[in-house]
Amino acid sequence: MKKIVSMLLVVLTFCGLVACGGSKYAHGSEKIVLKLGDHKVSEEVYRYFLLNTMDEMANGDNNYFQGADREEKLSQLEKTVLGHLKQFYSVLDLADECDIEMSEKELEAIDETMEALRADFESPEKYQEELQAAYLSEYMAYSLIYNESLQTALYNTMSQTGKYFSVDGNDILAYAKENFLFCRQFVVKTDDPATDEEAMEKAQTIHDRLSQGEDPADVLKEYESDDTVIGAYYCFAETEDFAGLNEEAVQELKEGEISDIRMDGYGFHIIIRMKPDTEYLEDNLSDGVFESYCMHQMNLRLEKIQKEYTVTYKNKQEPEAYR
């Protein structure tokens, strides 16, 4: 996508416009398009989210919003844009509820990020050109970075104090058991799975034994001296696509079910969906599980705020008019 958007990865995720009272960056258009609860959404903000969402949906197709299904697509566009608006305003409102403000040091860091952003372009003109291509004003760019920093401060405060939700180990354990995937995976490694008959035969033997109900630990024990066979138990939060293991592959299985033999460039894979193991969790509750739990709790607070928003349009135009 556009260079400046890639540098501001908060686009269409947790981004938002804040009332940066001390900001040296001037507003663009302050014409109000809609009210979201008590928030007045300016054309500058609405245009940014609207046009980025349109581009994402169209994916390069200039005629995407034309044709018989135009109204259906425009309805989806409106729903998506409102979702983004609710998301970022709820971040601001939750920060207000928690009395969280940016420190002088944090504001200075944002200014430094803006300076680095400008310096990355060969000229001020090129910088402004890239801003406009991404539907950004300089104030909007500052606001996105500000909001991302505010989210970090919000998360840190809520997760570290225990004031806003429980950080008790038993609650985190219950959350992990309910929300994370658990599995065993056997991998028979080979450099050429398409022609390595020995490796395929070994994988088939393991699969047959597991299918007959043998304990995975007993099967693995027989391959302890074989460095081509890997077998491990995973809480899915602790691995990122390790050797063919991914969320979709595990979700396809029911608890206790064994996958077919899967093949990729790494070798042959056999996945067993397991029931949550309390002992394993107690011994291996990682930072990743804790972070996921805290983010989940924070999102529940954000969703509660979003549900209370009412939407009132003031000066809505056809989407193409904002180009």
Side-chain angles (χ1 to χ4, degrees):
M1 203 176 174
K2 305 176 183 71
K3 183 178 182 181
I4 202 160
V5 175
S6 68
M7 298 179 71
L8 299 173
L9 294 178
V10 286
V11 173
L12 300 181
T13 51
F14 259 178
C15 40
L17 181 67
V18 298
C20 307
S23 171
K24 57 188 176 184
Y25 306 103
H27 282 282
S29 171
E30 295 189 30
K31 180 180 179 180
I32 303 303
V33 176
L34 63 91
K35 285 190 67 178
L36 191 64
D38 294 330
H39 298 286
K40 295 179 180 180
V41 181
S42 72
E43 185 173 86
E44 181 178 13
V45 182
Y46 184 77
R47 177 179 182 272
Y48 169 76
F49 284 106
L50 175 74
L51 296 184
N52 273 294
T53 304
M54 287 181 72
D55 285 357
E56 183 179 42
M57 290 176 65
N59 194 29
D61 181 357
N62 293 330
N63 297 314
Y64 180 80
F65 288 100
Q66 306 304 320
D69 59 350
R70 171 178 168 81
E71 292 305 316
E72 180 182 346
K73 290 177 178 177
L74 290 180
S75 177
Q76 182 59 46
L77 172 65
E78 178 182 10
K79 180 180 179 181
T80 303
V81 172
L82 286 176
H84 295 318
L85 290 169
K86 290 178 180 181
Q87 180 64 49
F88 80 67
Y89 278 115
S90 66
V91 170
L92 304 179
D93 288 339
L94 184 55
D96 284 343
E97 285 184 12
C98 298
D99 294 323
I100 295 172
E101 297 181 355
M102 302 298 291
S103 67
E104 288 298 322
K105 185 176 180 180
E106 288 168 327
L107 293 174
E108 289 174 5
I110 296 172
D111 280 333
E112 291 172 1
T113 301
M114 287 294 294
E115 292 294 335
L117 184 62
R118 282 191 291 270
D120 196 59
F121 295 90
E122 59 192 33
S123 68
E125 292 77 18
K126 184 63 175 176
Y127 170 60
Q128 290 298 328
E129 179 184 325
E130 290 291 334
L131 282 175
Q132 292 171 15
Y135 315 118
L136 283 162
S137 63
E138 194 167 41
Y139 177 81
M140 190 74 187
Y142 177 91
S143 301
L144 292 170
I145 299 169
Y146 180 103
N147 190 262
E148 183 183 28
S149 299
L150 185 63
Q151 292 169 54
T152 300
L154 182 61
Y155 171 84
N156 288 340
T157 299
M158 296 186 76
S159 62
Q160 292 173 7
T161 63
K163 178 179 177 181
Y164 304 97
F165 51 78
S166 168
V167 291
D168 180 77
N170 289 329
D171 292 328
I172 299 172
L173 177 64
Y175 165 80
K177 290 174 69 174
E178 183 176 349
N179 291 278
F180 287 98
L181 300 174
F182 301 83
C183 68
R184 278 190 180 274
Q185 178 175 230
F186 283 80
V187 181
V188 180
K189 297 187 295 181
T190 175
D191 294 331
D192 190 4
T195 60
D196 192 335
E197 295 183 2
E198 181 181 352
M200 179 59 194
E201 184 177 343
K202 190 182 298 183
Q204 187 64 60
T205 298
I206 292 172
H207 188 276
D208 290 345
R209 293 177 64 180
L210 294 172
S211 299
Q212 292 167 8
E214 286 196 49
D215 189 314
D218 293 338
V219 175
L220 181 61
K221 190 173 183 179
E222 293 191 22
Y223 292 92
E224 285 179 334
S225 61
D226 187 340
D227 59 8
T228 68
V229 177
I230 301 172
Y233 180 85
Y234 294 104
C235 166
F236 190 75
E238 296 176 351
T239 183
E240 295 182 0
D241 201 18
F242 169 75
L245 179 63
N246 56 63
E247 185 174 3
E248 289 75 19
V250 181
Q251 283 182 330
E252 290 175 2
L253 304 172
K254 298 177 181 178
E255 284 188 1
E257 189 176 3
I258 303 170
S259 73
D260 294 333
I261 298 174
R262 298 167 178 264
M263 182 180 74
D264 63 14
Y266 194 82
F268 299 98
H269 310 267
I270 304 165
I271 302 168
I272 312 170
R273 177 81 177 267
M274 309 291 289
K275 292 183 178 180
D277 186 322
T278 300
E279 183 178 352
Y280 175 86
L281 280 172
E282 289 175 340
D283 293 340
N284 296 278
L285 272 177
S286 66
D287 290 341
V289 175
F290 177 75
E291 290 169 5
S292 177
Y293 167 80
C294 292
M295 185 62 70
H296 172 72
Q297 294 296 330
M298 191 172 91
N299 284 337
L300 290 177
R301 294 284 295 269
L302 292 171
E303 289 168 8
K304 182 176 182 294
I305 292 171
Q306 292 167 29
K307 288 178 180 178
E308 296 174 355
Y309 286 145
T310 56
V311 179
T312 307
Y313 284 97
K314 299 293 184 180
N315 295 287
K316 187 181 179 183
Q317 304 179 65
E318 289 294 311
E320 292 80 6
Y322 293 95
R323 295 228 178 243

mmCIF file of all heavy atoms in Angstrom, residues 97-130:
data_model
loop_
_atom_site.group_PDB
_atom_site.id
_atom_site.type_symbol
_atom_site.label_atom_id
_atom_site.label_comp_id
_atom_site.label_asym_id
_atom_site.label_seq_id
_atom_site.Cartn_x
_atom_site.Cartn_y
_atom_site.Cartn_z
ATOM 1 N N GLU A 97 -12.480 7.497 31.263
ATOM 2 C CA GLU A 97 -13.029 6.789 32.422
ATOM 3 C C GLU A 97 -11.936 6.392 33.405
ATOM 4 O O GLU A 97 -12.147 6.394 34.621
ATOM 5 C CB GLU A 97 -13.777 5.539 31.967
ATOM 6 C CG GLU A 97 -15.124 5.788 31.330
ATOM 7 C CD GLU A 97 -15.838 4.489 30.996
ATOM 8 O OE1 GLU A 97 -15.377 3.421 31.478
ATOM 9 O OE2 GLU A 97 -16.843 4.534 30.255
ATOM 10 N N CYS A 98 -10.787 6.039 32.876
ATOM 11 C CA CYS A 98 -9.687 5.563 33.707
ATOM 12 C C CYS A 98 -8.721 6.688 34.108
ATOM 13 O O CYS A 98 -7.678 6.419 34.717
ATOM 14 C CB CYS A 98 -8.907 4.469 32.973
ATOM 15 S SG CYS A 98 -9.892 3.006 32.602
ATOM 16 N N ASP A 99 -9.074 7.934 33.746
ATOM 17 C CA ASP A 99 -8.231 9.102 34.069
ATOM 18 C C ASP A 99 -6.803 8.935 33.564
ATOM 19 O O ASP A 99 -5.828 9.214 34.283
ATOM 20 C CB ASP A 99 -8.224 9.355 35.583
ATOM 21 C CG ASP A 99 -9.591 9.762 36.106
ATOM 22 O OD1 ASP A 99 -10.297 10.491 35.388
ATOM 23 O OD2 ASP A 99 -9.958 9.322 37.209
ATOM 24 N N ILE A 100 -6.684 8.464 32.337
ATOM 25 C CA ILE A 100 -5.364 8.258 31.742
ATOM 26 C C ILE A 100 -5.089 9.371 30.749
ATOM 27 O O ILE A 100 -5.878 9.618 29.829
ATOM 28 C CB ILE A 100 -5.278 6.891 31.041
ATOM 29 C CG1 ILE A 100 -5.412 5.768 32.070
ATOM 30 C CG2 ILE A 100 -3.977 6.756 30.259
ATOM 31 C CD1 ILE A 100 -5.518 4.403 31.474
ATOM 32 N N GLU A 101 -3.973 10.063 30.935
ATOM 33 C CA GLU A 101 -3.545 11.110 30.034
ATOM 34 C C GLU A 101 -2.105 10.857 29.617
ATOM 35 O O GLU A 101 -1.352 10.175 30.316
ATOM 36 C CB GLU A 101 -3.651 12.482 30.703
ATOM 37 C CG GLU A 101 -5.082 12.883 31.074
ATOM 38 C CD GLU A 101 -5.136 14.248 31.716
ATOM 39 O OE1 GLU A 101 -4.044 14.834 31.959
ATOM 40 O OE2 GLU A 101 -6.240 14.748 31.973
ATOM 41 N N MET A 102 -1.732 11.417 28.481
ATOM 42 C CA MET A 102 -0.370 11.261 28.011
ATOM 43 C C MET A 102 0.563 12.158 28.813
ATOM 44 O O MET A 102 0.255 13.318 29.093
ATOM 45 C CB MET A 102 -0.281 11.631 26.528
ATOM 46 C CG MET A 102 -1.199 10.821 25.641
ATOM 47 S SD MET A 102 -0.808 9.065 25.667
ATOM 48 C CE MET A 102 0.755 9.083 24.831
ATOM 49 N N SER A 103 1.707 11.629 29.179
ATOM 50 C CA SER A 103 2.706 12.413 29.898
ATOM 51 C C SER A 103 3.479 13.299 28.926
ATOM 52 O O SER A 103 3.425 13.107 27.704
ATOM 53 C CB SER A 103 3.684 11.480 30.615
ATOM 54 O OG SER A 103 4.470 10.762 29.668
ATOM 55 N N GLU A 104 4.203 14.278 29.466
ATOM 56 C CA GLU A 104 5.022 15.143 28.621
ATOM 57 C C GLU A 104 6.057 14.328 27.851
ATOM 58 O O GLU A 104 6.334 14.592 26.679
ATOM 59 C CB GLU A 104 5.713 16.201 29.483
ATOM 60 C CG GLU A 104 4.779 17.279 30.008
ATOM 61 C CD GLU A 104 4.130 18.070 28.885
ATOM 62 O OE1 GLU A 104 4.817 18.344 27.875
ATOM 63 O OE2 GLU A 104 2.930 18.391 29.001
ATOM 64 N N LYS A 105 6.612 13.339 28.504
ATOM 65 C CA LYS A 105 7.610 12.492 27.852
ATOM 66 C C LYS A 105 6.991 11.736 26.685
ATOM 67 O O LYS A 105 7.613 11.601 25.613
ATOM 68 C CB LYS A 105 8.201 11.509 28.863
ATOM 69 C CG LYS A 105 9.332 10.650 28.320
ATOM 70 C CD LYS A 105 9.927 9.775 29.409
ATOM 71 C CE LYS A 105 11.072 8.921 28.857
ATOM 72 N NZ LYS A 105 11.660 8.054 29.925
ATOM 73 N N GLU A 106 5.772 11.242 26.877
ATOM 74 C CA GLU A 106 5.098 10.500 25.809
ATOM 75 C C GLU A 106 4.741 11.422 24.645
ATOM 76 O O GLU A 106 4.848 11.034 23.477
ATOM 77 C CB GLU A 106 3.842 9.816 26.364
ATOM 78 C CG GLU A 106 4.156 8.637 27.274
ATOM 79 C CD GLU A 106 2.949 8.154 28.045
ATOM 80 O OE1 GLU A 106 2.078 8.991 28.395
ATOM 81 O OE2 GLU A 106 2.871 6.947 28.321
ATOM 82 N N LEU A 107 4.341 12.661 24.968
ATOM 83 C CA LEU A 107 4.036 13.626 23.911
ATOM 84 C C LEU A 107 5.283 13.993 23.125
ATOM 85 O O LEU A 107 5.238 14.163 21.899
ATOM 86 C CB LEU A 107 3.387 14.869 24.511
ATOM 87 C CG LEU A 107 1.986 14.673 25.108
ATOM 88 C CD1 LEU A 107 1.524 15.951 25.785
ATOM 89 C CD2 LEU A 107 0.991 14.266 24.026
ATOM 90 N N GLU A 108 6.407 14.120 23.825
ATOM 91 C CA GLU A 108 7.667 14.407 23.144
ATOM 92 C C GLU A 108 8.050 13.263 22.204
ATOM 93 O O GLU A 108 8.562 13.490 21.106
ATOM 94 C CB GLU A 108 8.776 14.630 24.179
ATOM 95 C CG GLU A 108 8.641 15.928 24.948
ATOM 96 C CD GLU A 108 9.672 16.048 26.066
ATOM 97 O OE1 GLU A 108 10.543 15.145 26.173
ATOM 98 O OE2 GLU A 108 9.613 17.032 26.816
ATOM 99 N N ALA A 109 7.786 12.038 22.636
ATOM 100 C CA ALA A 109 8.092 10.877 21.799
ATOM 101 C C ALA A 109 7.244 10.886 20.529
ATOM 102 O O ALA A 109 7.719 10.504 19.446
ATOM 103 C CB ALA A 109 7.850 9.586 22.582
ATOM 104 N N ILE A 110 5.998 11.340 20.637
ATOM 105 C CA ILE A 110 5.142 11.427 19.457
ATOM 106 C C ILE A 110 5.674 12.474 18.493
ATOM 107 O O ILE A 110 5.720 12.260 17.274
ATOM 108 C CB ILE A 110 3.690 11.755 19.860
ATOM 109 C CG1 ILE A 110 3.109 10.620 20.710
ATOM 110 C CG2 ILE A 110 2.820 11.986 18.626
ATOM 111 C CD1 ILE A 110 1.763 10.938 21.316
ATOM 112 N N ASP A 111 6.102 13.622 19.036
ATOM 113 C CA ASP A 111 6.696 14.651 18.182
ATOM 114 C C ASP A 111 7.941 14.128 17.477
ATOM 115 O O ASP A 111 8.175 14.431 16.300
ATOM 116 C CB ASP A 111 7.055 15.884 19.015
ATOM 117 C CG ASP A 111 5.847 16.762 19.293
ATOM 118 O OD1 ASP A 111 4.908 16.742 18.477
ATOM 119 O OD2 ASP A 111 5.846 17.457 20.314
ATOM 120 N N GLU A 112 8.729 13.340 18.175
ATOM 121 C CA GLU A 112 9.928 12.762 17.564
ATOM 122 C C GLU A 112 9.556 11.791 16.438
ATOM 123 O O GLU A 112 10.234 11.729 15.405
ATOM 124 C CB GLU A 112 10.757 12.045 18.630
ATOM 125 C CG GLU A 112 11.413 12.983 19.634
ATOM 126 C CD GLU A 112 12.076 12.249 20.788
ATOM 127 O OE1 GLU A 112 12.030 10.990 20.794
ATOM 128 O OE2 GLU A 112 12.612 12.914 21.681
ATOM 129 N N THR A 113 8.470 11.040 16.634
ATOM 130 C CA THR A 113 8.001 10.131 15.588
ATOM 131 C C THR A 113 7.553 10.908 14.357
ATOM 132 O O THR A 113 7.847 10.522 13.220
ATOM 133 C CB THR A 113 6.833 9.268 16.109
ATOM 134 O OG1 THR A 113 7.273 8.514 17.236
ATOM 135 C CG2 THR A 113 6.342 8.318 15.029
ATOM 136 N N MET A 114 6.873 12.032 14.584
ATOM 137 C CA MET A 114 6.455 12.868 13.461
ATOM 138 C C MET A 114 7.661 13.435 12.716
ATOM 139 O O MET A 114 7.679 13.477 11.480
ATOM 140 C CB MET A 114 5.564 14.005 13.970
ATOM 141 C CG MET A 114 4.170 13.561 14.384
ATOM 142 S SD MET A 114 3.149 12.942 13.005
ATOM 143 C CE MET A 114 2.954 14.435 12.022
ATOM 144 N N GLU A 115 8.674 13.856 13.471
ATOM 145 C CA GLU A 115 9.882 14.377 12.840
ATOM 146 C C GLU A 115 10.557 13.295 12.003
ATOM 147 O O GLU A 115 11.022 13.552 10.890
ATOM 148 C CB GLU A 115 10.846 14.903 13.910
ATOM 149 C CG GLU A 115 10.373 16.157 14.638
ATOM 150 C CD GLU A 115 10.290 17.365 13.717
ATOM 151 O OE1 GLU A 115 11.006 17.379 12.694
ATOM 152 O OE2 GLU A 115 9.503 18.279 14.013
ATOM 153 N N ALA A 116 10.609 12.086 12.533
ATOM 154 C CA ALA A 116 11.224 10.978 11.800
ATOM 155 C C ALA A 116 10.418 10.642 10.551
ATOM 156 O O ALA A 116 10.977 10.292 9.504
ATOM 157 C CB ALA A 116 11.325 9.752 12.703
ATOM 158 N N LEU A 117 9.102 10.763 10.661
ATOM 159 C CA LEU A 117 8.234 10.500 9.522
ATOM 160 C C LEU A 117 8.510 11.495 8.401
ATOM 161 O O LEU A 117 8.669 11.121 7.234
ATOM 162 C CB LEU A 117 6.771 10.585 9.965
ATOM 163 C CG LEU A 117 5.697 10.252 8.932
ATOM 164 C CD1 LEU A 117 5.819 8.818 8.475
ATOM 165 C CD2 LEU A 117 4.318 10.517 9.517
ATOM 166 N N ARG A 118 8.604 12.774 8.755
ATOM 167 C CA ARG A 118 8.901 13.798 7.751
ATOM 168 C C ARG A 118 10.277 13.594 7.138
ATOM 169 O O ARG A 118 10.467 13.750 5.936
ATOM 170 C CB ARG A 118 8.816 15.190 8.381
ATOM 171 C CG ARG A 118 7.399 15.704 8.559
ATOM 172 C CD ARG A 118 7.392 17.168 8.933
ATOM 173 N NE ARG A 118 7.925 17.364 10.269
ATOM 174 C CZ ARG A 118 7.206 17.360 11.367
ATOM 175 N NH1 ARG A 118 5.894 17.150 11.285
ATOM 176 N NH2 ARG A 118 7.745 17.547 12.548
ATOM 177 N N ALA A 119 11.244 13.240 7.990
ATOM 178 C CA ALA A 119 12.623 13.096 7.521
ATOM 179 C C ALA A 119 12.792 11.935 6.556
ATOM 180 O O ALA A 119 13.785 11.876 5.822
ATOM 181 C CB ALA A 119 13.564 12.924 8.721
ATOM 182 N N ASP A 120 11.852 11.016 6.548
ATOM 183 C CA ASP A 120 11.960 9.846 5.686
ATOM 184 C C ASP A 120 11.676 10.171 4.222
ATOM 185 O O ASP A 120 11.920 9.352 3.344
ATOM 186 C CB ASP A 120 10.990 8.762 6.173
ATOM 187 C CG ASP A 120 11.310 7.393 5.590
ATOM 188 O OD1 ASP A 120 12.435 6.916 5.807
ATOM 189 O OD2 ASP A 120 10.436 6.823 4.917
ATOM 190 N N PHE A 121 11.181 11.388 3.974
ATOM 191 C CA PHE A 121 10.863 11.799 2.602
ATOM 192 C C PHE A 121 11.890 12.799 2.097
ATOM 193 O O PHE A 121 12.459 13.572 2.863
ATOM 194 C CB PHE A 121 9.451 12.381 2.537
ATOM 195 C CG PHE A 121 8.394 11.366 2.838
ATOM 196 C CD1 PHE A 121 7.942 11.166 4.135
ATOM 197 C CD2 PHE A 121 7.867 10.566 1.836
ATOM 198 C CE1 PHE A 121 6.984 10.208 4.423
ATOM 199 C CE2 PHE A 121 6.912 9.602 2.110
ATOM 200 C CZ PHE A 121 6.469 9.424 3.405
ATOM 201 N N GLU A 122 12.090 12.801 0.794
ATOM 202 C CA GLU A 122 13.168 13.585 0.198
ATOM 203 C C GLU A 122 12.905 15.084 0.208
ATOM 204 O O GLU A 122 13.827 15.887 0.084
ATOM 205 C CB GLU A 122 13.410 13.124 -1.241
ATOM 206 C CG GLU A 122 12.179 13.248 -2.127
ATOM 207 C CD GLU A 122 12.322 12.527 -3.456
ATOM 208 O OE1 GLU A 122 13.006 11.486 -3.488
ATOM 209 O OE2 GLU A 122 11.755 13.014 -4.445
ATOM 210 N N SER A 123 11.637 15.468 0.369
ATOM 211 C CA SER A 123 11.302 16.889 0.391
ATOM 212 C C SER A 123 9.985 17.096 1.109
ATOM 213 O O SER A 123 9.173 16.165 1.203
ATOM 214 C CB SER A 123 11.200 17.437 -1.035
ATOM 215 O OG SER A 123 10.070 16.881 -1.696
ATOM 216 N N PRO A 124 9.734 18.310 1.614
ATOM 217 C CA PRO A 124 8.432 18.593 2.237
ATOM 218 C C PRO A 124 7.280 18.371 1.270
ATOM 219 O O PRO A 124 6.199 17.936 1.673
ATOM 220 C CB PRO A 124 8.553 20.077 2.625
ATOM 221 C CG PRO A 124 10.010 20.308 2.787
ATOM 222 C CD PRO A 124 10.671 19.445 1.754
ATOM 223 N N GLU A 125 7.524 18.657 -0.008
ATOM 224 C CA GLU A 125 6.478 18.471 -1.004
ATOM 225 C C GLU A 125 6.123 16.997 -1.165
ATOM 226 O O GLU A 125 4.946 16.639 -1.284
ATOM 227 C CB GLU A 125 6.924 19.044 -2.349
ATOM 228 C CG GLU A 125 7.050 20.566 -2.384
ATOM 229 C CD GLU A 125 8.315 21.063 -1.691
ATOM 230 O OE1 GLU A 125 9.252 20.254 -1.489
ATOM 231 O OE2 GLU A 125 8.346 22.258 -1.339
ATOM 232 N N LYS A 126 7.143 16.145 -1.174
ATOM 233 C CA LYS A 126 6.910 14.711 -1.280
ATOM 234 C C LYS A 126 6.171 14.187 -0.056
ATOM 235 O O LYS A 126 5.282 13.319 -0.171
ATOM 236 C CB LYS A 126 8.240 13.971 -1.443
ATOM 237 C CG LYS A 126 8.100 12.478 -1.670
ATOM 238 C CD LYS A 126 7.360 12.156 -2.957
ATOM 239 C CE LYS A 126 7.332 10.647 -3.216
ATOM 240 N NZ LYS A 126 6.542 10.317 -4.421
ATOM 241 N N TYR A 127 6.512 14.710 1.099
ATOM 242 C CA TYR A 127 5.848 14.341 2.344
ATOM 243 C C TYR A 127 4.354 14.672 2.277
ATOM 244 O O TYR A 127 3.495 13.838 2.584
ATOM 245 C CB TYR A 127 6.521 15.071 3.499
ATOM 246 C CG TYR A 127 5.820 14.992 4.830
ATOM 247 C CD1 TYR A 127 5.577 13.771 5.454
ATOM 248 C CD2 TYR A 127 5.416 16.157 5.488
ATOM 249 C CE1 TYR A 127 4.953 13.705 6.700
ATOM 250 C CE2 TYR A 127 4.798 16.106 6.719
ATOM 251 C CZ TYR A 127 4.563 14.882 7.322
ATOM 252 O OH TYR A 127 3.946 14.836 8.545
ATOM 253 N N GLN A 128 4.033 15.898 1.848
ATOM 254 C CA GLN A 128 2.640 16.302 1.743
ATOM 255 C C GLN A 128 1.902 15.487 0.678
ATOM 256 O O GLN A 128 0.732 15.136 0.847
ATOM 257 C CB GLN A 128 2.553 17.794 1.412
ATOM 258 C CG GLN A 128 2.968 18.710 2.546
ATOM 259 C CD GLN A 128 2.078 18.572 3.768
ATOM 260 O OE1 GLN A 128 0.884 18.286 3.659
ATOM 261 N NE2 GLN A 128 2.649 18.775 4.949
ATOM 262 N N GLU A 129 2.607 15.169 -0.392
ATOM 263 C CA GLU A 129 2.008 14.355 -1.445
ATOM 264 C C GLU A 129 1.611 12.978 -0.927
ATOM 265 O O GLU A 129 0.526 12.467 -1.234
ATOM 266 C CB GLU A 129 3.013 14.214 -2.596
ATOM 267 C CG GLU A 129 2.521 13.376 -3.752
ATOM 268 C CD GLU A 129 3.584 13.198 -4.825
ATOM 269 O OE1 GLU A 129 4.365 14.150 -5.053
ATOM 270 O OE2 GLU A 129 3.653 12.099 -5.428
ATOM 271 N N GLU A 130 2.481 12.386 -0.125
ATOM 272 C CA GLU A 130 2.187 11.059 0.429
ATOM 273 C C GLU A 130 1.072 11.132 1.463
ATOM 274 O O GLU A 130 0.245 10.223 1.563
ATOM 275 C CB GLU A 130 3.461 10.467 1.041
ATOM 276 C CG GLU A 130 4.508 10.066 0.027
ATOM 277 C CD GLU A 130 4.072 8.871 -0.808
ATOM 278 O OE1 GLU A 130 3.252 8.067 -0.324
ATOM 279 O OE2 GLU A 130 4.547 8.746 -1.942
#
